[in-house]
Structure formats: structure tokens, C-alpha cells
Amino acid sequence: MDETPQNLWLAEVWLEHRDRLVRLLATRMPRVLLRRMSADDVAQEAYLACGKRLDFLQSRPEVPMFVKLRRIAMQTLTDVERRHLAAGKRDAMKESTWDDAGDDASVDAWAQFADTITSPRTRLMRMERQALARRILQELPATDREILELRHFEELSNNECAAVLDIAPKAASIRYVRALKRFQDLLKDEDV
């Protein structure tokens, strides 16, 4: 890319939000796609897509920049999924890693490290809590699940959630509180 003022502006904006975008992509990428490429690879493609959509990024200043970048990143992820998973090429679903774990090596390393500092009983309890939380999330309506994912997994602020959902910030706040209450109620029901 050449060093025009717009490209320099994009580079600065991208660097400010890059880490959050990579985390977002890592949580949203299907495991089978992670076998072929990393979240950093998709982020790089998203950056190139941003370069082609400068007008979109510079329009509507009331919308947080991260929300605009997130939209392009998610569209890029969808395009990458189509290219790799829906294409008539080598079937990604039949690919396997050498250890059949399908996980990123760094994630495995951190998991092994965590296992060394917890007892087997603690680890089992944590796994059971995670499975319970996943099951309860699946029982929630899609709108509740979406707001919880945006707030907790993507770490979006209330205003950013409102912009993503195209609703007022107060409505996003109310939706979040209600979803959290429903989640907690379902969790309490499981404890009984």
C-alpha cells in the first residue's frame, strides 16, 4: 500500500483495534477452518478489505470505528469460509492434524500449563461448569445469546453492542440485563 493520508489513517485505526479483531475472529472461526489458517491470516485479509472500503469506514462518525471494522472482519470471515469450506476443492472436513486435536498449538500449550497448576478434581469441575454454561447458552433465545456473546466473548461496550444490533444504547442495556437474568435463572434451576 502506498503512503497516502487515507492509507496512513487506516493503518493507525487498524493498529488501534487489531488485537480485539484478532480475538473476535479467533472465537468466531470454525475449528475446521483453524486447521487451514489462523485468525491473523483472516485479519490480514480483513485489513485489505478495509482498504477497499474507506468510504464506509469514514462515513457515519456516530458509529464506533470498532463496529465498522468488526462488520468488515465478519464479512471477510464469511468470504474465507465460503472459499475454504464450501468450495469444490479438497474437503476441509476430512482434514486432520497430526495429533487429531484440531487445536492451535499455543492453546494446547496454555491448556497443559493450566493443567499443571490445578488438580484433576478442579479441572473436572471446571469442565463440567463449562459444559453446563454451553448447554444453558444453547437454551436461551437467539437474541439473548447474541447480546451475551457480544458483551462477554467479543468484549464490546454497550454502545458498540447497540451499533452492531442497530438499536438504541438503552435498549441494548435492557436486552443485556434481561439476557443475563435469564441465564442466571437457568443456572439456578440446574443447581437444584
Side-chain angles (χ1 to χ4, degrees):
M1 253 185 198
D2 58 80
E3 293 187 16
T4 64
Q6 282 192 327
N7 289 336
L8 292 174
W9 170 83
L10 176 59
E12 289 176 17
V13 167
W14 184 264
L15 283 175
E16 180 182 341
H17 299 284
R18 183 190 177 285
D19 292 341
R20 272 179 86 188
L21 290 165
V22 170
R23 281 195 313 270
L24 159 74
L25 291 167
T27 60
R28 296 291 183 152
M29 285 177 69
R31 287 189 123 176
V32 68
L33 185 59
L34 282 168
R35 293 177 184 167
R36 288 189 169 192
M37 61 190 337
S38 70
D40 282 318
D41 296 329
V42 179
Q44 184 175 359
E45 289 194 33
Y47 177 72
L48 294 174
C50 287
K52 296 175 184 173
R53 300 194 53 200
L54 290 172
D55 292 340
F56 168 73
L57 292 172
Q58 294 174 336
S59 68
R60 296 184 58 202
E62 72 277 7
V63 176
M65 184 55 65
F66 179 77
V67 171
K68 295 175 186 178
L69 293 171
R70 178 191 182 278
R71 177 172 290 161
I72 293 173
M74 294 303 292
Q75 289 169 347
T76 302
L77 177 58
T78 300
D79 293 342
V80 167
E81 285 181 38
R82 281 189 195 123
R83 215 171 37 241
H84 286 274
L85 303 181
K89 300 176 185 173
R90 192 174 74 212
D91 190 352
M93 300 299 189
K94 293 181 181 175
E95 291 181 7
S96 64
T97 59
W98 65 272
D99 63 355
D100 286 328
D103 292 337
D104 185 49
S106 64
V107 173
D108 285 342
W110 281 108
Q112 288 175 352
F113 173 74
D115 287 345
T116 65
I117 59 174
T118 58
S119 70
R121 183 179 188 154
T122 304
R123 183 170 184 253
L124 181 61
M125 289 171 46
R126 184 176 56 240
M127 289 170 53
E128 287 173 351
R129 282 194 313 267
Q130 289 172 354
L132 175 63
R134 269 189 241 102
R135 189 167 43 82
I136 290 174
L137 276 173
Q138 292 304 315
E139 291 176 16
L140 289 173
T143 55
D144 289 350
R145 197 169 43 251
E146 180 178 35
I147 191 78
L148 291 174
E149 287 174 352
L150 291 173
R151 288 294 297 267
H152 293 279
F153 301 146
E154 296 186 28
E155 300 173 2
L156 297 184
S157 69
N158 189 61
N159 288 338
E160 291 170 334
C161 287
V164 167
L165 299 171
D166 199 24
I167 58 177
K170 184 171 181 162
S173 181
I174 290 169
R175 186 180 290 185
Y176 171 67
V177 170
R178 286 181 182 162
L180 197 55
K181 174 88 171 94
R182 286 185 188 112
F183 180 81
Q184 290 171 337
D185 289 346
L186 288 170
L187 191 59
K188 284 178 190 174
D189 290 345
E190 290 292 326
D191 286 341
V192 175

